[in-house]
Amino acid sequence: MSDTVTIPERSGTAFTLAKGATLTVIDPRGEQVADLLAFNADDIGEAISSGRTLDYAETIYLTTGHTLYSNRSRAMLEIVGDTVGRHDFLLTPCSVDTFAHFYPTLPVHRGCFGNLAEALAPYGVTPDMIPTAFNCFMNVPVDGETGKLRVLPPISKAGDSIAFRAAMDLVIGLTACSAPDSNGGTFKPIEYRVD
């Protein structure tokens, strides 16, 4: 078992994940979102795809047993463990622009988008290549009648986790989310482990 790595609040990181390895994302204090991106390590033009994944899963609530697919319809990550069961794959990483839109009275923050762009740059990923992230622990209920989205505090408790098995060699981007509403109004670290 590898060591657990901490991502400080409102920051992000990137790293490689070998095919067959398991990535466990942990919410150590509860109610904290982690934006996750994946790119084919051998061809970063292949990236995680919300549209492909939701199409094949036929649900927006992804959990153990579901697979996250690429824009080329290939399996990237298989969810092999999940103590929460509520995550989001609809909303894009928070950014300077979303802060200006949703939080006009708060100081502007580069958000998960800026953190991911910086962390992934050494791997050749440019900002325009950043897709919709798989938002671990994010709670986005959808009204079945109107389609209205709401962003509520995560239901994750301290120590909850979600585990993914890599179906190919990957470059992973991972954050401790920076948006107030997504995290119940507070900002906390995220932990991860690779086994």
Side-chain angles (χ1 to χ4, degrees), residues 90-130:
L90 297 174
L91 303 184
T92 61
C94 60
S95 66
V96 168
D97 296 315
T98 55
F99 266 78
H101 181 87
F102 290 108
Y103 311 107
T105 63
L106 296 182
V108 173
H109 193 278
R110 69 181 185 174
C112 289
F113 185 90
N115 288 332
L116 288 164
E118 180 180 57
L120 289 163
Y123 296 94
V125 177
T126 64
D128 284 344
M129 297 169 68
I130 294 176

Side-chain angles (χ1 to χ4, degrees), residues 32-129:
Q32 175 62 45
V33 169
D35 289 29
L36 180 143
L37 294 180
F39 297 84
N40 179 343
D42 297 318
D43 179 359
I44 57 171
E46 184 170 16
I48 195 170
S49 170
S50 169
R52 297 289 184 199
T53 299
L54 298 180
D55 192 5
Y56 299 144
E58 299 182 48
T59 179
I60 61 171
Y61 296 132
L62 303 169
T63 187
T64 305
H66 287 119
T67 297
L68 307 186
Y69 287 90
S70 78
N71 54 324
R72 298 175 187 163
S73 294
R74 298 200 307 156
M76 297 193 97
L77 291 162
E78 302 161 2
I79 303 176
V80 295
D82 183 5
T83 65
V84 179
R86 181 58 59 92
H87 315 276
D88 168 68
F89 210 3
L90 297 174
L91 303 184
T92 61
C94 60
S95 66
V96 168
D97 296 315
T98 55
F99 266 78
H101 181 87
F102 290 108
Y103 311 107
T105 63
L106 296 182
V108 173
H109 193 278
R110 69 181 185 174
C112 289
F113 185 90
N115 288 332
L116 288 164
E118 180 180 57
L120 289 163
Y123 296 94
V125 177
T126 64
D128 284 344
M129 297 169 68

Side-chain angles (χ1 to χ4, degrees), residues 27 30-33 84 86 136-139 151-157 180-185 188:
D27 183 355
E31 294 190 9
Q32 175 62 45
V33 169
V84 179
R86 181 58 59 92
C136 306
F137 316 125
M138 191 170 182
N139 183 13
V151 176
L152 300 182
I155 62 172
S156 54
K157 306 298 184 196
D181 288 351
S182 300
N183 305 293
K188 300 164 288 293

